[in-house]
Amino acid sequence: MHNLSIPFLVITMLITACAAPNTSRINYDSNELDAEVAIQRELALKKYLGYKQRLYTVSYPILKSASQFCPNKQINSAGAQGASSSEFQDGWRVTAEKLLGSDNFVITWVDKNGPAAKAGLKFKDKVIAINDVPFDASPIKNNKFYTEIARTQTSESPQVKLTAQREGELVNLIIQQEKICGYPAVLSESDAVNAYADGKRIIITKGMMRFAQDDQDLALVIAHELGHNLMGHIDKKQSNRMLGTLLDLAASANGINTQGMFGSAGASAFSQDFEAEADYVALYYMSVAGLPLEGVADFWRDMAAEHPSNIGSNHSASHPATSERFLAISKTIEEINRKIAAGEPVKPNLID
Ligand SMILES: [Zn+2]
């Protein structure tokens, strides 16, 4: 039997090697191909900027309202974001310059209720100077720009002077920045359905943004990761084994062993408590941001439907089961609603 398989394998390989398409290939010239590459790059970049805009729009009100819970970690924010073509490589830079309409640093998102909007900053404005520090958007000067932004974020004075160019005209805007929690939400280009916190930032994957189609779902994910950062779950000791991921369940459902990543069962049990706490405080952050809570627990039913192996509870898992998370979230919403009805402060119950 064993010998028979060898000639069979050889014949199969020969047949495969001889296989060729039966129809002629469509021809196109390199100019047509270049034009299509440019179109597809523009579509991809628009989508990328769109993901970021949605992430900022959903995260900003949460970071702002939760600032009452992070007195030691507040930064000044203008409520605006931008991009410059110099952030992109090679062919993408040309696309970015075309899409942004400039090789300057261009405003790509403005929170509609934020300080920049109040001061009159508009989408697509080109930023020429900050506090009279001029810059162009070449990479080195761009660093100066970010340094200046960082300085205004951490300075005592919330006021910042921004010089922008709009339709060829220079406009000077005085922006009174507001305090937000200094844990920015950033986009990861991964297609995995995941989100995590690293003690400094909130990282949301493209895959998660697609799964959390409803902004309420995305808000829950962002608030959960903010909870990990704000409650100090990601300290130096924990950072290796507990990255604050929303779901290692997505990975485990695909048969990937996450035990190595999340450490021993003992560490995992500890991590379940952190996960539960992040879920708990997340609802308070959403509530103080004025976001509706009704139906938000359904996120975990949707997740269960996608990842059924995580429905039942398992004490050695790093994360609580989807069933446990649904119930805990539903009961936290009842707790918050009771406080609101009684006119009590909307703050998480702390043990001390
Ligand atoms: Zn988590």
Side-chain angles (χ1 to χ4, degrees), residues 36-48 92 95-96 98-99:
E36 183 57 23
V37 165
I39 288 168
Q40 293 191 9
R41 280 194 169 145
E42 198 170 324
L43 289 169
L45 195 58
K46 248 184 214 164
K47 192 147 205 174
Y48 171 76
W92 289 98
T95 312
K98 188 182 169 210
L99 203 65

Side-chain angles (χ1 to χ4, degrees), residues 224-225 228 244-246 275 278 319 325:
H224 172 98
E225 299 308 336
H228 280 309
T245 62
L246 185 74
E275 290 308 317
H319 287 51
R325 297 181 91 163

